């Protein structure tokens, strides 16, 4: 067996430093792009506001009632929703994919978002619920659906393939019930439910947005702390156990964090599809093996903010944000399914 030469260690360390430098540069660049899109979202509309006026209004550096009303009251909630929802979707998606070792293991693909949608639509159609009640119902639906999938997928542990298959089955079941409920609803309620199901940022109240922002601020540091155990779990249960990792506890905590993020984001913006599915792979392409989960969250924020700008400003008729993300994500899903099937990575 060959032993490493004296040149191998510096080479390996140099390559590691280069990968870390690349990941740091990409993450910083994504943070800058998110900041620019955040400001741009508050600039554009029926009344144009200059970037300087946007920044001074948000920071409270100048008193201009007209500008402050447009920026702070009308546009800031939408921009803040875009950042928070994008971060939440990106983080939850990459945690699911790394945890289950499957590129199809996205919360909106394995039934979690469908469960949130079912509970939210039921509260709209059956109980004529308020906006806050709809958001609470969506969060409860996400949590209960994730618990159901976890219980059904458990068999001396969890495998990504089994979790995804059961999640797809649960998702189709939820979607069928949603279709039945909407078909039996009055026209106004059905229209309200379909608008919510399309998914768009800026449709929730201030209370729901504040709750999501608090959840993101709390969960992101926890997720970063648990990133090393997550990397250990990627090696497989046996290897992780041998390395001293508490496999099931760490898996449950990480899944819980992901479900909280997807639940709150769906409660605020509805089911904005495909963002959680594509954010992680894009971040991986940009940063390589050294990329972290925060990078995926920033990619998610860029996608949501960019999609909303396209939906609201670049099209003849404004559309929900989820329509644009669906147009982007559907071809990627088809390509991913074809690639997984061709390479035999489904299991």
């Amino acid at each position: 067996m060959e032993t490493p030469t004296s040149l191998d260690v510096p080479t390996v360390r140099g390559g590691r430093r280069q990968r870390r430098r690349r990941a740091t540069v990409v993450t910083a660049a994504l943070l800058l792009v998110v900041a620019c899109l955040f400001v741009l979202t508050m600039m554009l509309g029926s009344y144009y506001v200059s970037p300087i006026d946007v920044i001074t209004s948000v920071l409270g550096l100048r008193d201009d009632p007209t500008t402050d009303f447009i920026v702070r009251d009308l546009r800031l909630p939408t921009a803040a929703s875009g950042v928070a929802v994008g971060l939440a979707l990106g983080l939850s998606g990459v945690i699911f994919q790394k945890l289950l070792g499957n590129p199809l293991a996205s919360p909106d693909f394995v039934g979690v978002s469908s469960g949130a949608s079912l509970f939210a639509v039921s509260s709209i159609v059956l109980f004529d619920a308020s906006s806050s009640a709809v958001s609470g119902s969506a969060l409860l639906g996400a949590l209960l659906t994730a618990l159901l999938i976890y219980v059904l997928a458990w068999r001396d542990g969890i495998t990504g393939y089994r979790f995804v298959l059961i999640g797809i089955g649960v998702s189709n079941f939820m979607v069928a019930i949603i279709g039945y409920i909407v078909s039996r609803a009055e026209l106004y309620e059905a229209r309200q439910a379909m608008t919510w199901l399309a998914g768009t940022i800026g449709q929730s109240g201030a209370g729901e947005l504040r709750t999501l922002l608090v959840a993101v601020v709390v969960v992101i540091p926890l997720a970063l702390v648990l990133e090393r155990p997550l990397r250990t779990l990627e090696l497989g249960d046996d290897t992780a156990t041998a390395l001293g990792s508490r496999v099931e506890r760490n898996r449950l905590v990480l899944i819980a964090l992901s479900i909280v993020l997807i639940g709150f984001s769906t409660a605020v913006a509805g089911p904005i599809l495909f963002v959680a599915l594509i954010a992680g792979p894009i971040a991986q392409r940009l940063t390589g093996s050294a990329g972290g989960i925060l990078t995926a969250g920033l990619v998610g924020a860029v996608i949501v903010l960019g999609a909303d700008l396209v939906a609201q400003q670049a099209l003849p008729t404004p559309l929900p944000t989820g329509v644009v993300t669906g147009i982007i994500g559907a071809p990627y899903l088809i390509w991913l399914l074809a690639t997984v099937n061709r390479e035999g990575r489904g299991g």
Side-chain angles (χ1 to χ4, degrees):
M1 182 176 179
E2 295 184 3
T3 58
T5 66
S6 60
L7 294 177
D8 287 334
V9 174
T11 301
V12 170
R13 288 177 177 172
R16 191 176 299 166
R17 282 196 298 269
Q18 187 175 4
R19 289 192 295 271
R20 288 174 180 167
R21 191 181 305 116
R22 173 184 173 185
T24 301
V25 170
V26 169
T27 302
L30 286 170
L31 189 60
L32 179 62
V33 172
V34 170
C36 292
L37 291 173
F38 179 75
V39 173
L40 188 61
T41 299
M42 291 181 284
M43 289 171 51
L44 301 180
S46 57
Y47 182 88
Y48 173 79
V49 181
S50 70
I52 298 299
D53 288 340
V54 167
I55 294 172
T56 55
S57 177
V58 170
L59 298 178
L61 300 178
R62 186 166 55 189
D63 187 18
D64 185 339
T66 301
T67 301
D68 290 345
F69 173 74
I70 293 172
V71 172
R72 295 183 193 174
D73 296 341
L74 299 182
R75 297 179 184 174
L76 180 58
T78 299
S81 295
V83 174
V85 168
L87 283 170
L89 292 175
L91 283 169
S92 62
V94 75
I95 289 174
F96 257 78
Q97 289 164 349
K98 287 180 176 293
L99 198 60
L100 300 174
N102 194 311
L104 298 175
S106 169
D108 54 2
F109 193 61
V110 299
V112 178
S113 295
S114 299
S117 299
L118 174 60
F119 275 63
V121 168
S122 299
S123 66
I124 292 172
V125 174
L126 302 180
F127 303 105
D128 192 25
S130 63
S131 174
S132 58
V134 172
S135 299
S137 299
L139 177 60
L140 179 63
L143 294 171
L144 292 180
T145 304
L147 178 62
L148 174 64
I149 297 170
Y150 193 89
V151 170
L152 293 176
W154 175 267
R155 189 185 302 164
D156 296 326
I158 295 291
T159 64
Y161 186 57
R162 187 161 63 242
F163 193 96
V164 169
L165 285 181
I166 291 176
I168 292 173
V170 171
S171 177
N172 288 331
F173 178 70
M174 300 288 186
V175 169
I177 298 178
I178 290 171
Y180 173 78
I181 292 174
V182 172
S183 69
R184 306 295 296 178
E186 298 293 334
L187 181 60
Y188 172 76
E189 294 170 339
R191 185 174 297 169
Q192 187 179 3
M194 293 306 296
T195 300
W196 190 90
L197 285 170
T200 189
I201 62 174
Q203 66 177 348
S204 64
E208 294 82 13
L209 176 56
R210 278 195 298 269
T211 304
L212 173 60
L213 291 172
V214 170
V216 168
V217 169
V218 171
V219 170
I220 286 180
L222 290 176
L224 293 177
V225 169
L226 291 170
E227 186 168 5
R228 178 169 292 182
L230 176 60
R231 290 182 181 273
T232 304
L233 288 173
E234 286 186 84
L235 302 174
D237 288 2
D238 294 338
T239 304
T241 302
L243 292 173
S245 175
R246 296 185 177 182
V247 173
E248 289 306 323
R249 188 201 66 174
N250 290 339
R251 181 183 284 120
L252 278 172
V253 172
L254 285 163
I255 287 180
L257 293 179
S258 182
I259 297 307
V260 167
L261 288 172
I262 197 71
F264 277 119
S265 65
T266 305
V268 167
I272 299 182
L273 300 178
F274 295 113
V275 177
L277 180 69
I278 66 178
I282 291 175
Q284 182 76 17
R285 292 273 184 176
L286 292 174
T287 61
S289 59
I293 59 176
L294 180 60
T295 309
L298 292 173
V299 170
V302 169
I303 294 172
V304 172
L305 287 170
D308 188 67
L309 282 170
V310 171
Q312 301 300 319
Q313 308 297 334
L315 300 175
T317 302
L319 294 174
T321 313
V323 174
V324 177
T325 61
I327 293 173
I328 297 171
Y332 170 79
L333 177 59
I334 295 171
W335 172 83
L336 179 61
L337 289 170
T339 302
V340 169
N341 181 66
R342 185 168 58 250
E343 297 178 358
R345 292 189 290 123

